[in-house]
Amino acid sequence: PYTEDRGYLTQCLESIRAQTYPYELIEIKSPRSVAINFNRGLSFAKGEFIKVVGDDDWLPPDSLENLVNGIGDAPWAVANATEVFGRTHEIYKPITLEFAINVVHNKIHNGGTIYRTEVLREIGGMDETLWTAEEYEMHLRLMSLGYNPKYIDKEVYFYRRWQGQKSRQLREQDKKKRANEIARIQSLYIDKV
């Protein structure tokens, strides 16, 4: 089994245990891709909702409660996330006059999302053939199929930016290749959302 702990897992798990809303925790430890790990967790899930938490991030105690109470009848929802970089905090509030613009231009923070399990199963989860932007593609696919998100104006996630962050390393390795892949993904859905 893959047991890498990059130094923040204890804080992450403690924040989940401190939730004010009951939950089912599925911990996936694997060096495999984001999509493969996500889909593996989805296959085990028994609850009505799916919420992803990265091992180097953490949740405020009322995160799940705010997400579940806020989603209503929507198939998925997006709330605010706070990006933490050292002593600097920046709040991502993914709301504009037309919320879909944030999804299309990849301006939502995956840490601020919650999904209905049945909807993710209907669309087949994340695309395991992708090497980047897996959640972005899934969000565009959801919207192209008529599963539009709801916005919840609550802070539900703390996203840690640091040198050892996997997504940061990926972005810095080949910026042009990643930008081209995101543009390709976007072109598949731009006329459908």
Side-chain angles (χ1 to χ4, degrees):
Y2 185 71
T3 57
E4 177 187 11
D5 177 359
R6 298 177 298 155
Y8 300 108
L9 183 59
T10 298
Q11 181 186 18
C12 173
L13 292 174
E14 286 174 357
S15 78
I16 294 169
R17 290 185 190 109
Q19 291 302 299
T20 58
Y21 190 88
Y23 61 87
E24 167 194 26
L25 174 63
I26 300 171
E27 186 177 349
I28 304 292
K29 294 181 179 181
S30 165
R32 302 170 85 183
S33 76
V34 169
I36 290 171
N37 290 329
F38 181 90
N39 291 341
R40 186 172 171 211
L42 179 61
S43 72
F44 293 132
K46 294 183 177 93
E48 182 179 357
F49 302 104
I50 298 285
K51 168 78 189 105
V52 176
V53 183
D55 68 317
D56 52 354
D57 300 333
W58 72 101
L59 304 175
D62 58 357
S63 175
L64 296 179
E65 184 174 354
N66 285 330
L67 287 166
V68 171
N69 289 339
I71 194 171
D73 293 332
W76 64 296
V78 181
N80 305 328
T82 301
E83 185 173 283
V84 179
F85 188 63
R87 295 177 189 220
T88 304
H89 294 115
E90 181 179 342
I91 298 175
Y92 277 72
K93 292 186 93 171
I95 186 82
T96 66
L97 292 175
E98 187 178 349
F99 179 69
I101 291 171
N102 286 298
V103 179
V104 171
H105 293 286
N106 202 15
K107 299 292 183 190
I108 64 168
H109 197 290
N110 195 46
T113 56
I114 186 170
Y115 311 93
R116 291 194 181 279
T117 306
E118 66 184 45
V119 171
L120 294 183
R121 288 186 173 138
E122 284 176 24
I123 69 160
M126 286 190 185
D127 183 342
E128 295 182 7
T129 67
L130 297 176
W131 62 273
T132 190
E134 301 94 329
E135 68 277 355
Y136 176 51
E137 187 278 335
M138 185 175 75
H139 294 160
L140 291 176
R141 188 161 22 107
L142 280 162
M143 290 183 60
S144 74
L145 296 170
Y147 295 119
N148 294 316
K150 180 178 180 182
Y151 172 66
I152 303 168
D153 192 9
K154 301 275 187 179
E155 292 176 42
V156 300
Y157 199 82
F158 291 102
Y159 174 73
R160 186 186 319 270
R161 285 184 58 212
W162 61 292
Q163 289 302 98
Q165 182 181 22
K166 292 177 187 175
S167 59
R168 181 181 181 137
Q169 291 172 352
L170 181 62
R171 281 193 298 269
E172 292 174 359
Q173 285 174 2
D174 195 336
K175 292 178 184 179
K176 186 175 181 181
K177 181 179 176 185
R178 186 170 187 272
N180 288 342
E181 181 66 0
I182 289 171
R184 184 191 70 78
I185 290 167
Q186 193 176 52
S187 73
L188 298 173
Y189 297 102
I190 199 71
D191 296 328
K192 298 177 184 175
V193 295

